[in-house]
């Protein structure tokens, strides 16, 4: 297991899980501090713009919330932002014990682990966003987070709503937060049943497609063909899959898991428990937002979490890695 030492050779950074966020972590201006400060981020975004065929560097600095909410834009924008943060920290010497990504976040995690190239990951994410957007336009789908109810009782609520249509568990985010996904009227009925069963509340999610349920099977074959076209290497860092909650052992397994990820739930609780068993002592969110840090604390309790989602937090972590010359990444 790789230990990462802090300034002076101490273990201040500790055994780290690098966590890459998924859709929902985007926000206007989320890469402004990266592009203003770090030359490596500017280089990465220039490559990303070319690969994706969209001005991600502009969108991630000055795009509107409405623009960023479009799935075909959201996914490559978050992936590029996360990969820019990863590149900044990697250059500073950051070496986590393992990596994991929440749904979309699994793509930058696989880049960090050497399984996918930047080019392959962004091509796949671009297509993933387009295909999911097509499902959103054809199916009146919805997602909702059920809070304060154990996952097994959320399952029961979904079963109770089956007569109204398809609704399934999409995310096991934390012990008392489970996301459901499916046809809009069935999701609404399952939410009512969950509240009657004791859920504290149900929060409709502002997403454009019913992710991680069998409605996504409509685009599975097309996406599988694209997966076949891209090279997958065996991981050089341990990767914990959000599909299984356990380790990915080969590039070919990673390829198959990305296909399954379209229609199967995100098992984030299992990911965190697997990391905990590895004696991970610090959990660092690599990319925009602080969603994963909150899920980590509410699942594992009093553990060290770090965010890199804004200038202040990224600078503090960067400086803990590079004590000699803090000005080195800053453009003159």
């Amino acid at each position: 297991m790789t230990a990462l030492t802090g300034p002076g050779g101490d273990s201040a950074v500790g055994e780290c899980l690098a966590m890459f966020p998924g859709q929902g972590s985007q926000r206007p201006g989320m890469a402004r501090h990266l592009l203003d400060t770090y030359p490596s981020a500017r280089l990465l975004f220039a490559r990303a713009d070319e690969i994706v065929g969209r001005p991600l560097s502009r969108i991630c600095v000055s795009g509107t919330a409405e623009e960023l909410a479009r799935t075909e834009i959201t996914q490559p924008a978050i992936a590029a932002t996360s990969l820019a943060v990863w590149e900044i920290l990697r250059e500073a010497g950051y070496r986590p014990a393992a990596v994991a990504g929440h749904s979309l976040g699994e793509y930058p995690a696989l880049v960090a682990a050497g399984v996918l190239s930047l080019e392959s990951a962004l091509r796949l994410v671009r297509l993933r966003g387009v295909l999911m957007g097509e499902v959103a336009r054809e199916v009146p789908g919805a997602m909702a987070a059920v809070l304060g109810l154990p996952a097994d009782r959320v399952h029961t609520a979904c079963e109770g709503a089956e007569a109204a249509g398809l609704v399934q568990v999409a995310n096991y985010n934390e012990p008392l937060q489970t996301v459901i996904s499916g046809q809009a009227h069935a999701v609404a009925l399952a939410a009512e049943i969950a509240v009657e069963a004791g859920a504290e509340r149900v929060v409709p999610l502002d997403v454009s497609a019913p992710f991680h349920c069998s409605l996504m099977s409509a685009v599975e074959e097309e996406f599988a063909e694209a997966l076949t076209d891209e090279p997958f290497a065996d991981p050089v860092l341990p990767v914990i899959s959000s599909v299984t909650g356990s380790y990915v052992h080969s590039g070919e397994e990673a390829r198959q898991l990305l296909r399954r990820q379209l229609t199967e739930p995100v098992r984030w609780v299992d990911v965190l428990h697997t990391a905990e068993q590895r004696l991970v002592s610090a959990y660092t969110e690599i990319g925009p937002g602080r969603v994963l840090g909150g899920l980590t604390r509410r699942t594992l309790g009093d553990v060290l979490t770090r965010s890199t989602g804004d200038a202040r937090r990224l600078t503090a972590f960067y400086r803990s890695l590079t004590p000699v010359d803090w000005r080195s990444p800053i453009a003159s």
Side-chain angles (χ1 to χ4, degrees):
M1 180 162 53
T2 304
L4 181 64
T5 57
D10 62 35
S11 58
V13 178
E15 300 291 351
C16 300
L17 176 68
M19 309 183 297
F20 295 84
Q23 194 157 345
S25 292
Q26 73 274 8
R27 70 179 190 282
M30 64 186 177
R32 183 185 302 278
H33 62 296
L34 306 178
L35 293 166
D36 283 350
T37 307
Y38 300 93
S40 59
R42 291 195 289 273
L43 289 172
L44 188 142
F45 265 96
R47 293 172 66 195
D49 288 353
E50 183 177 352
I51 295 163
V52 175
R54 292 184 185 274
L56 295 179
S57 52
R58 177 195 64 78
I59 293 169
C60 293
V61 170
S62 58
T64 64
E66 292 75 19
E67 188 175 19
L68 279 168
R70 292 166 51 193
T71 296
E72 64 270 24
I73 292 176
T74 309
Q75 297 197 19
I78 290 174
T81 302
S82 295
L83 285 165
V85 174
W86 167 256
E87 184 64 15
I88 291 163
L89 296 179
R90 185 194 66 78
E91 288 183 345
Y94 179 55
R95 299 294 183 271
V99 299
H102 191 287
S103 185
L104 165 68
E106 200 149 321
Y107 289 81
L110 290 172
V111 174
V115 176
L116 285 173
S117 67
L118 171 71
E119 291 77 10
S120 291
L122 288 177
R123 280 194 293 264
L124 290 169
V125 167
R126 176 187 60 190
L127 177 61
R128 185 181 189 265
V130 169
L131 294 177
M132 287 182 165
E134 290 177 0
V135 174
R137 286 186 287 272
E138 295 175 6
V139 178
M143 300 182 73
V146 181
L147 308 179
L149 195 68
D152 59 340
R153 298 178 72 180
V154 178
H155 269 287
T156 301
C158 290
E159 291 171 353
E162 285 179 350
L166 186 144
V167 55
Q168 298 169 335
V169 169
N171 297 14
Y172 298 92
N173 278 342
E174 59 180 81
L176 294 177
Q177 185 195 121
T178 304
V179 174
I180 58 177
S181 178
Q183 294 171 309
H185 47 288
V187 170
L189 179 56
E192 292 178 10
I193 295 172
V195 170
E196 292 172 357
E200 293 177 4
R201 59 193 176 112
V202 177
V203 180
L205 300 186
D206 185 16
V207 296
S208 58
F211 304 130
H212 300 295
C213 75
S214 58
L215 292 176
M216 285 292 158
S217 62
V219 298
E220 187 177 1
E221 286 300 325
E222 184 174 351
F223 191 67
E225 291 179 9
L227 288 169
T228 301
D229 291 339
E230 300 291 348
F232 281 69
D234 293 341
V236 298
L237 275 175
V239 183
I240 307 174
S241 167
S242 66
V243 178
T244 63
S246 58
Y247 292 104
V248 178
H249 299 99
S250 69
E252 186 55 38
E253 183 184 8
R255 189 197 313 271
Q256 297 305 318
L257 287 169
L258 289 183
R259 174 178 179 163
R260 290 172 53 189
Q261 191 198 73
L262 288 175
T263 59
E264 296 189 26
V266 174
R267 300 184 179 276
W268 195 248
V269 172
D270 291 342
V271 166
L272 294 175
H273 285 309
T274 296
E276 184 182 40
Q277 292 166 9
R278 194 181 175 86
L279 303 181
V280 166
S281 60
Y283 299 79
T284 304
E285 195 161 355
I286 309 293
R290 289 185 286 164
V291 172
L292 298 184
L295 297 182
T296 300
R297 291 187 298 274
R298 290 189 291 274
T299 298
L300 300 180
D302 187 18
V303 296
L304 176 62
T305 61
R306 298 184 179 90
S307 167
T308 59
D310 57 48
R312 179 179 65 81
R313 290 179 173 86
L314 176 59
T315 298
F317 191 43
Y318 184 92
R319 288 180 175 180
S320 76
L321 300 170
T322 57
V324 176
D325 183 3
W326 292 345
R327 296 171 299 172
S328 59
I330 300 177
S332 57

